[in-house]
Structure formats: structure tokens, C-alpha cells
């Protein structure tokens, strides 16, 4: 009796479900449109993606499939955008649909980077964090930041005079020192710092796991429930270790500033400014400052380090690598610096308008090897149509920043480091080539809000370095020139791989000028 009733009922329910699903599909906009082209799927409808240097593979696929490449991996639809036109059309002209982020099980849920507003979905929480950041780190505040930036540029010069073999350490320390002072009022020692070490370890984990799909759990979010002791769950144990580091990165320097404020010893900075506002608002309301407000300040302070340090480090190291291979860039820039600044002082921010060659070098450093070659993925929350193709709801959109900034039509000889490509703006505009590489900072509503600070930091570092040093290729023990290997790391945050070079003082006068800065 039970079976005679159950099976007909199940058949009716199944038929009704299929009819409802069919109606829903028929009502979808663009239901008749094809998906964008892409490589043929293999097993279970999945495309095998490269594990390293994905941006290079996607750039090669552009010649086969075009600037829109659609793939599915374990049921997850992914659309790669290989041109500035496609990115502009979707991320800027349709920003209301394309400004959110996909859920990243490994990075946000397991590793704990949910406080990083560059990974947050578009919405009120993201807006609060971005607004808080922009209150302090905006273009109008740059004037107050420049003395700190200049001081650390001079410290870098001094450190390179003392030991030019530790270039990578000195550059990273300099970038970290600027952000730590602006965010926490904390002066780090020349040899390094506990807080910087913790942050670097946390960011190294983010760089390794940050590209969407690096870990299987990004595609199969149910795997996040597998316990760490389970066979094959090494990603859980790794995520736990990285989570610990990123929480320390966020919490420890913030708590230090709070203790210093209580003792009346805090140096004015982002955290003190924001906490003073919270306490003032709380006293007027006769209540304690909201924990949510403190968490917001804590998050944004750490975000400033995470966002600022790696961009500047990558661009500055790219500069040291590139001028070895293209020494004419160094010669031309030094000629301009010598003519404008002279031999009796070091360059300053006041010289910028008279040193256009340095602007061009900075832009080329950002273009030649963008620190985020794949940008940060977006998420489309509703079905859409573009160029006659259907983009399904839930698709992860990946901007191939490397391909955009190495488009031969826009940037002739894209692999060559050539700052002169940006020198003649009128001619470039007439020919439709060599746009400034703003893509290095993101797109639309999610463009990096700290880009002006990053540019100024890179600019003063490069101009003071060129004023003081000659950079050239190293030699081995037999006097043979060591040709630098132009290689970059295959991670979300991409840097030049270790290389050697000679960093020699241009004159004893240059040494004296650097040493004088230590007495100020």
C-alpha cells in the first residue's frame, strides 16, 4: 500500500520540479545565447588549469579563444578577461554588477583573511572599511606623509652604502617602515622588526594561496569541514598556521598602540587618530566605544600594511633588476637629475615636476611586472549578457592584468623595459597607445585607494637611488659578467626572484649627502 502511493507521488513531485526548473530556465535573459569560448572540458566537465604562472597561459589562450575565456572547474564557472576593453566594459561600465568578490574558502574562511577589505563582498561592511581607510590615506594627506617617506628613502640609501648585498631586505624594510609609522606610529629598527616579520609571514601565505583555485577547497567548499587530522587534509593544517600569523599581524601592533595611548606615549598615527574619534564619540554618548568600531580600526590599520608594502617592494626591486639590463634608462634619468638637482643636495618631492623621466620609470615598473598579475577576482551576482555571450550568475571573473599590460597593440615591445613609452602623452593619445598602466592598481570601485601613496613612495625611492648610486651587473670570481635572470614569482603577489647586482656610489660627495641626512 505504502509503495503504491509513494512512487506515483514521487513521480509527480519530480515532474513538477522539472517543469518549474524548465520554466525558470526559459525565463532567464539571454537563455538562448552561447557561453564565451574556452578550452574543451575533460572529465566531469572540468578544464585543467595551470598551477603556476596562470596569467601567461591565459595570455597564450587569447590567441586561440579571444579576450574572453570561459572555463568550468568542478562546476565553478570562471571567465578570464584578457583586454582592457573587456575589463572596462564590465568592471567600470557595469560596476553595480561586477564589484563584488567570490567566496574564497581557503583565504577568507580557513586562513582568516575575512578582515581584509580587498577580499570582502561588495556591501555595507566593505564600504565602512574603505571609507575609514580613505579618511586617513587620501591624496590630500600625502603632504603630511612625505617627510616620513623621504626619511625612509634616505635610510634605504644609508643601508645600501653599508651593505649592498642585502638589497631585498633593505627594500622590504624601507617599505614596511613607512606603513608601520603611518598606521601605528611605530619606528622599526634598521635590521628589522618583530611586527614586520610576523606580517611578512602572513602575507607570504596570502601570496601562495591567493590565486583563485590554488587549493581544491576553493572549488569544493564542503572540503572546509574536513578535520585537520583527516588524511589528505594538509591544507587545513597549513591554513591554521597561516591564520595564526595573520591574526597576530592584525592584533599585536594595534594592542601596542592602545597600551601606549593609555601611558601617554603614543606617536600620532592612523590608529591614534581613529581611536581618539571613537573615544570622543563614546564620551558624548556616555558609553564605551563600540567593539565594532575598534575592530574596524584594527582591520584598516593592518590592511594599510598588507596593501602598501608589497606593491612598493615589487616595483622597486623591478627597477633594480631592469636598469641592469637596460642601462640607458639609468644614464638618461641621471642626466636629468644632475641638471635639475645638481651635486650639492639630494632630490626631494619638490623636484617632481622637473623630473618627468622618473615618473615614466615608475609607470614602467608598475607595467613591466604588475605585483598582482591576475588582479583580484570578481563575482557576478546575476545573469548577464556581453558581446552576444551569456555570463551565468555566480561566475568568477578574473582580470588578467599581465595580459592587459603586455598587449602589443597598446604597449609595443611589451617585454622591453622602456620608460620612454610614456614620455609623449599627446603622441600616445593620437596613436591610441601606451596608456598609463592604472590597471596595476585595480579597476572601478575596487581600485586600490592607496595608489597615490604607493606611487609617491616608489618615486622618491627611485629618484634618490639614481642620484646616489650607479647600478650595474655583478661579476663572478673570474671577472665574468653575471647576466641577471629576469624571473618573477608565480604567486598572487609577484616579485622578482633573487638576483645580484652592483650598487656603487657615484661619488664621495654622494656619500656625504646621505650621511648628512642621518643628523637631521
Amino acid at each position: 500500500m505504502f509503495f503504491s502511493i509513494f512512487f506515483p507521488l514521487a513521480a509527480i513531485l519530480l515532474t513538477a520540479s522539472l517543469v518549474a526548473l524548465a520554466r525558470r530556465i526559459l525565463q532567464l535573459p539571454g537563455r538562448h545565447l552561447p557561453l564565451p569560448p574556452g578550452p574543451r572540458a575533460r572529465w566531469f566537465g572540468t578544464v585543467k588549469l595551470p598551477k603556476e604562472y596562470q596569467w601567461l597561459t591565459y595570455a597564450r589562450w587569447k590567441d586561440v579563444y579571444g579576450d574572453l575565456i570561459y572555463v568550468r572547474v568542478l562546476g565553478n564557472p570562471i571567465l578570464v578577461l584578457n583586454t582592457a576593453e573587456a575589463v572596462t566594459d564590465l568592471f567600470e561600465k557595469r560596476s553595480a554588477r561586477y564589484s563584488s568578490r567570490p567566496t574564497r574558502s581557503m583565504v577568507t574562511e580557513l586562513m582568516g583573511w575575512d578582515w581584509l577589505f580587498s577580499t570582502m563582498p561588495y556591501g555595507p561592511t566593505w564600504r565602512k572599511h574603505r571609507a575609514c581607510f580613505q579618511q586617513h590615506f587620501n591624496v590630500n594627506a600625502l603632504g603630511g606623509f612625505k617627510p616620513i617617506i623621504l626619511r625612509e628613502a634616505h635610510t634605504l640609501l644609508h643601508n645600501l652604502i653599508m651593505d649592498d648585498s642585502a638589497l631585498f631586505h633593505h627594500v622590504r624594510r624601507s617599505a614596511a617602515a613607512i606603513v608601520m609609522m603611518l598606521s601605528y606610529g611605530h619606528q622599526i629598527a634598521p635590521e628589522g622588526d618583530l611586527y614586520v616579520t610576523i606580517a611578512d609571514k602572513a602575507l607570504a601565505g596570502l601570496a601562495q594561496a591567493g590565486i583563485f583555485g590554488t587549493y581544491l577547497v576553493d572549488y569544493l567548499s564542503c572540503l572546509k569541514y574536513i578535520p585537520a587530522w583527516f588524511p589528505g587534509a594538509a591544507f587545513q593544517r597549513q591554513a591554521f598556521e597561516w591564520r595564526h600569523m595573520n591574526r597576530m599581524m592584525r592584533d599585536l601592533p594595534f594592542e601596542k598602540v592602545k597600551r601606549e595611548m593609555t601611558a601617554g606615549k603614543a606617536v600620532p598615527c592612523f590608529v591614534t587618530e581613529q581611536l581618539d574619534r571613537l573615544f570622543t564619540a563614546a564620551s558624548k554618548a556616555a558609553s564605551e566605544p563600540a567593539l565594532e568600531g575598534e575592530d574596524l580600526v584594527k582591520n584598516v590599520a593592518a590592511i594599510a600594511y598588507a596593501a602598501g608594502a608589497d606593491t612598493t617592494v615589487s616595483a622597486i626591486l623591478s627597477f633594480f633588476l631592469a636598469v641592469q639590463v637596460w642601462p640607458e634608462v639609468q644614464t638618461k634619468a641621471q642626466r636629468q637629475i644632475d641638471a635639475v638637482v645638481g651635486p650639492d643636495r639630494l632630490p626631494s618631492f619638490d623636484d617632481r615636476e622637473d623630473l618627468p623621466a622618473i615618473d615614466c620609470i615608475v609607470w614602467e615598473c608598475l607595467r613591466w611586472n604588475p605585483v598582482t598579475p591576475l588582479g583580484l577576482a570578481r563575482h557576478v551576482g546575476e545573469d548577464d549578457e556581453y558581446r552576444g555571450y551569456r555570463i551565468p550568475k555566480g561566475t568568477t571573473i578574473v582580470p588578467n592584468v599581465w595580459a592587459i599590460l603586455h598587449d602589443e597593440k597598446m604597449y609595443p615591445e611589451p617585454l622591453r623595459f622602456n620608460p620612454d613609452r610614456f614620455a609623449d602623452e599627446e603622441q600616445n593619445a593620437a596613436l591610441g597607445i601606451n596608456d598609463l598602466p592604472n590597471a596595476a592598481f585595480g579597476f572601478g570601485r575596487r581600485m586600490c585607494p592607496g595608489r597615490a601613496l604607493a606611487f609617491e613612495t616608489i618615486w622618491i625611492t627611485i629618484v634618490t637611488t639614481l642620484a646616489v648610486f650607479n647600478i650595474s651587473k655583478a661579476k663572478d670570481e673570474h671577472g665574468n659578467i653575471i647576466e641577471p635572470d629576469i624571473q618573477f614569482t608565480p604567486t598572487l603577489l609577484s616579485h622578482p626572484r633573487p638576483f645580484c647586482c652592483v650598487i656603487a656610489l657615484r661619488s664621495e660627495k654622494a656619500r656625504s649627502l646621505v650621511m648628512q641626512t642621518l643628523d637631521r
Side-chain angles (χ1 to χ4, degrees):
M1 179 69 178
F2 171 78
F3 291 104
S4 63
I5 296 175
F6 173 77
F7 284 116
L9 180 60
I12 292 172
L13 291 174
L14 177 61
T15 302
S17 299
L18 292 174
V19 170
L21 178 61
R23 285 179 176 176
R24 183 174 180 273
I25 293 174
L26 290 173
Q27 292 170 353
L28 291 177
R31 65 187 184 279
H32 60 285
L33 298 175
L35 293 168
R40 180 175 298 180
R42 298 184 179 182
W43 54 281
F44 294 112
T46 290
V47 173
K48 185 177 181 180
L49 298 181
K51 294 183 178 180
E52 291 188 341
Y53 300 105
Q54 291 93 333
W55 49 91
L56 299 181
T57 298
Y58 297 150
R60 289 193 296 269
W61 283 357
K62 176 186 172 184
D63 296 333
V64 179
Y65 306 107
D67 56 352
L68 304 178
I69 301 173
Y70 182 87
V71 297
R72 289 185 70 89
V73 180
L74 298 175
N76 294 266
I78 301 172
L79 180 64
V80 179
L81 307 180
N82 271 321
T83 63
E85 179 186 9
V87 170
T88 299
D89 287 346
L90 298 184
F91 290 180
E92 297 185 8
K93 296 180 180 179
R94 304 185 190 184
S95 58
R97 297 182 185 179
Y98 289 90
S99 291
S100 198
R101 301 289 191 203
T103 300
R104 302 294 310 280
S105 294
M106 184 64 178
V107 169
T108 58
E109 296 178 308
L110 298 182
M111 292 173 60
W113 287 97
D114 52 333
W115 55 267
L116 194 66
F117 74 73
S118 60
T119 68
M120 291 179 182
Y122 187 77
T125 302
W126 171 80
R127 279 191 286 268
K128 286 181 182 178
H129 281 75
R130 188 178 177 96
C132 182
F133 184 97
Q134 289 182 315
Q135 282 179 1
H136 190 81
F137 299 98
N138 56 63
V139 174
N140 295 329
L142 279 178
F145 298 161
K146 286 180 178 179
I148 295 172
I149 301 171
L150 183 61
R151 183 183 68 212
E152 292 306 330
H154 291 162
T155 300
L156 173 62
L157 300 179
H158 175 263
N159 289 342
L160 289 174
I161 291 175
M162 295 297 101
D163 179 15
D164 66 347
S165 66
L167 171 64
F168 278 60
H169 168 77
H170 295 325
V171 170
R172 180 164 288 282
R173 182 229 157 263
S174 177
I178 292 169
V179 184
M180 291 297 287
M181 179 56 70
L182 295 180
S183 291
Y184 303 105
H186 175 65
Q187 180 65 53
I188 70 176
E191 63 274 10
D193 183 87
L194 171 64
Y195 301 121
V196 174
T197 299
I198 291 171
D200 285 348
K201 290 181 179 179
L203 289 172
L206 178 62
Q208 184 171 331
I211 294 179
F212 183 83
T214 300
Y215 288 87
L216 190 61
V217 69
D218 283 336
Y219 298 124
L220 300 175
S221 61
C222 59
L223 297 179
K224 67 187 177 185
Y225 299 112
I226 295 178
W229 53 262
F230 196 80
F235 72 93
Q236 287 278 23
R237 297 187 288 275
Q238 181 65 80
F240 179 81
E241 179 183 340
W242 284 333
R243 185 185 187 94
H244 178 62
M245 298 308 299
N246 102 52
R247 291 304 182 188
M248 287 200 298
M249 168 189 175
R250 185 186 68 150
D251 296 343
L252 293 185
F254 178 81
E255 295 301 328
K256 174 179 177 292
V257 177
K258 287 185 65 179
R259 291 194 301 270
E260 290 173 343
M261 290 179 70
T262 301
K265 299 179 180 179
V267 176
C269 60
F270 167 77
V271 172
T272 60
E273 177 185 313
Q274 294 297 320
L275 288 183
D276 280 342
R277 289 183 181 180
L278 280 179
F279 283 116
T280 300
S283 62
K284 291 181 179 179
S287 62
E288 293 296 321
L291 180 61
E292 178 187 357
E294 284 203 13
D295 279 346
L296 178 66
V297 176
K298 184 192 302 185
N299 292 349
V300 174
I303 284 164
Y305 182 93
D310 270 289
T311 299
T312 56
V313 168
S314 180
I316 292 167
L317 290 176
S318 291
F319 159 75
F320 278 92
L321 175 60
V323 294
Q324 298 178 68
V325 183
W326 290 275
E328 66 276 8
V329 172
Q330 176 174 235
T331 302
K332 180 178 180 179
Q334 287 176 332
R335 191 180 302 121
Q336 190 174 94
I337 293 170
D338 294 343
V340 171
V341 178
D344 297 325
R345 66 178 179 89
L346 295 176
S348 71
F349 285 108
D350 293 336
D351 299 310
R352 182 172 171 185
E353 289 188 6
D354 298 318
L355 296 172
I358 310 303
D359 275 39
C360 294
I361 292 175
V362 176
W363 284 120
E364 186 69 340
C365 287
L366 294 168
R367 184 205 67 83
W368 190 51
N369 183 69
V371 66
T372 51
L374 277 185
L376 298 179
R378 303 288 183 95
H379 174 83
V380 58
E382 58 185 276
D383 294 289
D384 199 12
E385 177 271 329
Y386 178 60
R387 293 189 190 172
Y389 294 113
R390 175 166 54 93
I391 301 177
K393 175 182 177 181
T395 299
T396 295
I397 316 293
V398 178
N400 190 349
V401 174
W402 190 94
I404 292 169
L405 298 181
H406 289 78
D407 184 340
E408 292 185 353
K409 295 180 180 178
M410 175 57 67
Y411 304 102
E413 297 184 86
L415 297 179
R416 180 187 171 202
F417 188 87
N418 177 24
D420 284 345
R421 70 173 74 247
F422 300 114
D424 193 331
E425 295 183 14
E426 291 186 5
Q427 180 178 341
N428 286 340
L431 297 175
I433 61 174
N434 293 322
D435 285 346
L436 293 181
N438 288 304
F441 292 113
F443 311 93
R445 300 181 185 181
R446 303 301 292 250
M447 181 174 280
C448 173
R451 56 191 179 277
L453 174 61
F455 192 98
E456 296 290 341
T457 301
I458 300 166
W459 190 92
I460 198 64
T461 302
I462 289 176
V463 73
T464 53
T465 297
L466 287 171
V468 172
F469 297 113
N470 287 321
I471 303 161
S472 59
K473 298 175 183 177
K475 295 181 180 180
D476 62 21
E477 63 274 16
H478 303 295
N480 299 315
I481 291 177
I482 301 173
E483 293 294 336
D485 189 13
I486 302 177
Q487 293 290 332
F488 297 85
T489 59
T491 49
L492 173 71
L493 305 172
S494 182
H495 302 133
R497 289 192 182 277
F499 61 87
C500 56
C501 63
V502 175
I503 305 172
L505 280 162
R506 297 182 68 194
S507 66
E508 284 303 311
K509 179 66 174 179
R511 180 197 297 272
S512 175
L513 291 173
V514 173
M515 294 308 173
Q516 289 174 23
T517 65
L518 302 180
D519 301 328
R520 296 173 184 172

